[in-house]
Amino acid sequence: MRRMKKRIFRPFREVVVPVLPGMDCSAALSLARATGASVRLVGLVPVEPEASLSAASTQARALRKQLLALSPDGVSYSVARVVASYNPWQELVDILRRDPPDLLALEYPCHFERLGSPPPEIAAQPVCDLAVVRGPWPQAIARTLVPLRGGPYAELSLRMSLTLPHDEIAALHLTAPQTPDYLEEPFRGLAAILPSLKGVALRVEPSVNPAATIRELSGAADLLVLGGSGSAASEWQLGAAAEDMLRGAQCPVVVVKSKDPLPKTWTGAEGELAGAQAISLLVDRWFAENTYHADEFDDIERLVRFKQEQGVSISLALPALNEEETVGQVIRTVKGRLMDQYPLLDEVVLIDSHSTDCTRQIAAELGVPVYIHQQMLPELGSRRGKGEALWKSLLVTRGEIVVWIDTDIVNIHPRFVVGVIGPMLVNPALQFVKGFYQRPLREGGQTVAGGGGRVTELTARPLLNLFYPELSGVIQPLSGEYGGRRKALEQLPFFSGYGVEIGLLIDVFEKFGLSAIAQVDLLERVHHNQSLEALSKMSFTILQAVLRKLENRYNRSILEEVNKSMKLIRYDEGGYSLDVAEVAERERPPMISVDAYRERFSADM
């Protein structure tokens, strides 16, 4: 039986640990292993200036055996060649420059004492990110203390703390006693994202002696992680405060320095950069922990068991408009596998948008209830658009989890449904799951792999990166394969047209937080590509949707009614002309506010 993969935040892919003959660098090795990265061991044999390099051959041979003995099972290790050198620090710098890792792990004080005075590149100007550890390494890390001021070193401190095994991270921000509530500019970006990081608790505390306060609080921690400083006025160029902690903290210590230099002064621009780095940390962790793959849910029997244990029901709603070529195969595939063979789905319904072909007839013949959304809730009037169908599908389905997939999928497979359902069954905290996939594009009779998704890459994702950077890790915000928990969806407004996907994503984020959202790789999706004019209208609609959300955020009007018409450029033999199309994106209120919906679900409210 396939086991669900544990989702781990691993920002470091490779860590280098230098090893010297007979040196106990167990703490540095433990840190490297704990990051989950591959570990590269670099053997260095220091040679005295008056000695011959050839005299180090015996030590080099013994060091090679030592390196092989340090490669345990279950950890990806590589051993670089052993180097004998009169200047081992410079040799290490040259190795790092030729093949830069993500992180260099050094042990304090043995690396510094055995290798002599380091050149500025190692600590003052690291070639790669640097971590200096003073052991002994803890057997278990229940509580990590992370003093944070801001900037790239603070961001790296927090990133390191999140990477290492931990139960709780105490983020400590020390302020001057006169201004206990003042947050320094470099710290504001981190302060904004800390509440969204699971297991991280922020503590803002005034202090007249920050070093003494940190030393005192380190007594209640299993590990202290802090950033160095940009100042080289210290013995090992890590910063006086950091070296004070390496000598005097009451628990093991990790000092980190980023390869990115600190700015000499903090201005508004650097403050914005610090905020962007903090957002990157939040998004990176979310991406690692909340991105799934369809093959994690191949065991449908197990998902059925999870569903039964949780006592939830699941509905699949299929929006459709003139999809007679594909709708039958879509229904047969998902209904046959996920209702008839395995009781994962409790119902499948078709929400039709007044198709003029045989779409509704095909669905009915296959035993699927069919609804025409223009005929539903007549007291509220009828609107065109896919979003209208999705919104009204909440009225005619009963599942506590509601999933939607498009009915134009040519390569339909149960994974399009199972992949969306799976994350919500294995993680009850998730409220909303988006699918993503490769989308080949047909051009001139040829298929271009990954050529689809033009509106996503040219409109949707740039808008999210600009205005909702926390959502910048969502690969395909406009995908039509997604779903959520009814208790969340019924509280959200729905755009009636193509803005529905990006609108729901933004609303789930703002109401429930980033951690409530997941995405799943559904491999490849083949469907009918739309014309450039249709994609242009879609982009226009999505722009309206995002601007409407920004209006709600800032409580001010941005769009005027006159902006709802789109001028389309036509060309024929007579030349160019303009054609005006009304492409207005309107929003439906949360379904929970609709009387007919409340009446139907009154027993559950």
Side-chain angles (χ1 to χ4, degrees):
M1 181 179 295
R2 183 186 298 271
R3 296 182 61 189
M4 297 300 176
K5 299 175 183 177
K6 186 177 180 181
R7 323 209 67 74
I8 303 174
F9 176 58
R10 285 181 175 168
F12 305 111
R13 291 168 295 181
E14 184 184 48
V15 181
V16 162
V17 180
V19 182
L20 281 72
M23 175 186 286
D24 177 13
C25 51
S26 57
L29 284 169
S30 295
L31 168 69
R33 294 168 186 160
T35 65
S38 63
V39 181
R40 187 183 357 148
L41 304 178
V42 175
L44 297 170
V45 180
V47 180
E48 295 297 329
E50 64 277 6
S52 169
L53 286 175
S54 62
S57 62
T58 301
Q59 283 186 302
R61 187 164 54 251
L63 183 55
R64 282 191 288 270
K65 293 182 180 179
Q66 181 183 342
L67 293 176
L68 292 174
L70 290 173
S71 306
D73 294 335
V75 179
S76 175
Y77 268 82
S78 62
V79 179
R81 66 188 180 92
V82 171
V83 178
S85 176
Y86 294 118
N87 190 342
W89 277 119
Q90 188 58 51
E91 196 73 49
L92 179 59
V93 169
D94 292 342
I95 290 171
L96 297 176
R97 283 177 174 162
R98 286 194 299 269
D99 187 9
D102 297 296
L103 185 71
L104 170 66
L106 298 176
E107 183 141 352
Y108 182 91
C110 59
H111 271 120
F112 297 91
E113 293 175 347
R114 292 283 304 276
L115 291 173
S117 299
E121 292 90 341
I122 286 291
Q125 299 171 349
V127 178
C128 61
D129 288 344
L130 171 67
V132 179
V133 55
R134 190 212 75 194
W137 190 257
Q139 292 184 346
I141 306 173
R143 190 170 191 265
T144 303
L145 178 65
V146 191
L148 299 172
R149 178 175 177 264
Y153 296 176
E155 188 266 343
L156 182 58
S157 299
L158 190 54
R159 188 179 292 268
M160 175 65 74
S161 304
L162 291 166
T163 303
L164 301 174
H166 64 275
D167 292 333
E168 173 191 348
I169 293 176
L172 176 67
H173 183 63
L174 300 176
T175 64
Q178 315 76 292
T179 56
D181 298 326
Y182 173 71
L183 297 182
E184 295 176 284
E185 179 69 25
F187 182 68
R188 292 178 186 171
L190 283 173
I193 63 101
L194 285 173
S196 299
L197 292 173
K198 296 177 291 185
V200 179
L202 173 61
R203 177 176 177 179
V204 179
E205 186 169 312
S207 174
V208 295
N209 188 336
T213 301
I214 294 171
R215 276 196 302 272
E216 178 184 352
L217 294 175
S218 70
D222 300 297
L223 184 67
L224 171 65
V225 180
L226 71 159
S229 73
S231 171
S234 58
E235 182 179 2
W236 300 110
Q237 300 174 328
L238 297 171
E243 292 179 22
D244 181 44
M245 291 303 109
L246 284 168
R247 296 185 183 96
Q250 301 180 59
C251 66
V253 181
V254 177
V255 173
V256 298
K257 290 194 76 170
S258 170
K259 65 181 183 296
D260 300 320
L262 285 172
K264 295 180 179 179
T265 59
W266 284 92
T267 66
E270 281 82 9
E272 291 176 5
L273 176 61
Q277 291 168 332
I279 290 293
S280 175
L281 172 61
L282 176 64
V283 173
D284 288 353
R285 189 186 190 194
W286 173 84
F287 191 95
E289 296 179 351
N290 284 32
T291 300
Y292 294 79
H293 193 282
D295 69 6
E296 297 181 58
F297 311 109
D298 285 347
D299 190 341
I300 301 178
E301 286 185 356
R302 187 178 189 186
L303 292 181
V304 171
R305 192 161 61 251
F306 285 168
K307 171 195 167 185
Q308 293 169 345
E309 290 171 356
Q310 297 170 31
V312 297
S313 54
I314 304 175
S315 299
L316 172 64
L318 304 171
L321 174 61
N322 295 329
E323 303 294 354
E324 66 179 4
E325 293 183 10
T326 52
V327 68
Q329 188 59 31
V330 168
I331 292 173
R332 280 189 292 268
T333 299
V334 298
K335 186 172 179 289
R337 180 73 166 169
L338 305 179
M339 283 188 75
D340 301 337
Q341 185 175 357
Y342 296 102
L344 186 64
L345 294 175
D346 294 282
E347 63 177 343
V348 177
V349 302
L350 185 89
I351 310 296
D352 188 67
S353 297
H354 255 319
S355 295
T356 55
D357 62 5
C358 296
T359 296
R360 292 194 300 275
Q361 179 183 346
I362 293 170
E365 290 174 352
L366 291 172
V368 170
V370 175
Y371 301 90
I372 300 174
H373 79 71
Q374 288 90 342
Q375 299 175 0
M376 300 164 63
L377 298 175
E379 67 276 15
L380 299 180
S382 173
R383 295 180 185 175
R384 298 174 57 188
K386 176 185 176 182
E388 182 85 348
L390 301 186
W391 180 65
K392 289 178 177 177
S393 72
L394 294 178
L395 180 66
V396 296
T397 54
R398 298 206 62 102
E400 283 121 325
I401 293 175
V402 180
V403 176
W404 299 290
I405 69 169
D406 289 338
T407 49
D408 65 343
I409 305 175
V410 175
N411 63 325
I412 186 63
H413 188 278
R415 69 173 180 270
F416 287 101
V417 178
V418 174
V420 175
I421 295 171
M424 286 183 279
L425 291 180
V426 301
N427 183 358
L430 292 175
Q431 302 296 317
F432 192 69
V433 177
K434 291 286 296 184
F436 66 93
Y437 28 67
Q438 288 291 318
R439 287 168 292 185
L441 176 67
R442 293 285 297 176
E443 285 186 344
Q446 295 183 338
T447 300
V448 180
R454 290 165 288 177
V455 176
T456 292
E457 296 303 326
L458 298 177
T459 303
R461 282 185 44 75
L463 284 170
L464 291 178
N465 275 271
L466 274 174
F467 299 112
Y468 299 93
E470 297 90 343
L471 294 172
S472 59
V474 179
I475 295 175
Q476 284 170 359
L478 305 183
S479 70
E481 285 61 52
Y482 59 101
R485 299 188 189 275
R486 178 178 295 274
K487 289 296 185 184
L489 297 172
E490 67 185 7
Q491 300 180 53
L492 306 177
F494 278 55
F495 283 109
S496 297
Y498 286 120
V500 62
E501 277 89 13
I502 201 166
L504 286 175
L505 179 64
I506 291 171
D507 283 335
V508 171
F509 163 66
E510 294 199 321
K511 192 171 186 67
F512 301 101
L514 184 60
S515 62
I517 300 170
Q519 60 184 350
V520 59
D521 186 351
L522 301 176
L523 305 180
E524 183 179 82
R525 183 189 193 278
V526 180
H527 63 113
H528 303 301
N529 300 116
Q530 298 196 54
S531 66
L532 186 60
E533 180 177 303
L535 295 178
S536 179
K537 291 180 180 179
M538 186 185 300
S539 295
F540 189 60
T541 301
I542 289 163
L543 283 165
Q544 292 181 54
V546 173
L547 290 175
R548 283 299 184 207
K549 296 305 174 186
L550 292 173
E551 287 180 335
N552 295 337
R553 173 191 282 185
Y554 297 112
N555 196 28
R556 59 177 298 179
S557 177
I558 299 175
L559 287 175
E560 300 292 341
E561 289 302 318
V562 71
N563 303 132
K564 305 286 184 64
S565 61
M566 184 177 185
K567 282 71 178 177
L568 301 173
I569 299 174
R570 306 291 188 196
Y571 176 78
D572 54 30
E573 293 182 0
Y576 291 94
S577 62
L578 291 178
D579 186 12
V580 179
E582 293 297 323
V583 190
E585 183 61 295
R586 294 184 292 171
E587 204 169 32
R588 287 295 195 181
M591 185 57 82
I592 194 68
S593 67
V594 175
D595 291 340
Y597 181 84
R598 289 202 307 270
E599 291 172 4
R600 184 176 187 206
F601 290 92
S602 59
D604 301 325
M605 295 180 182

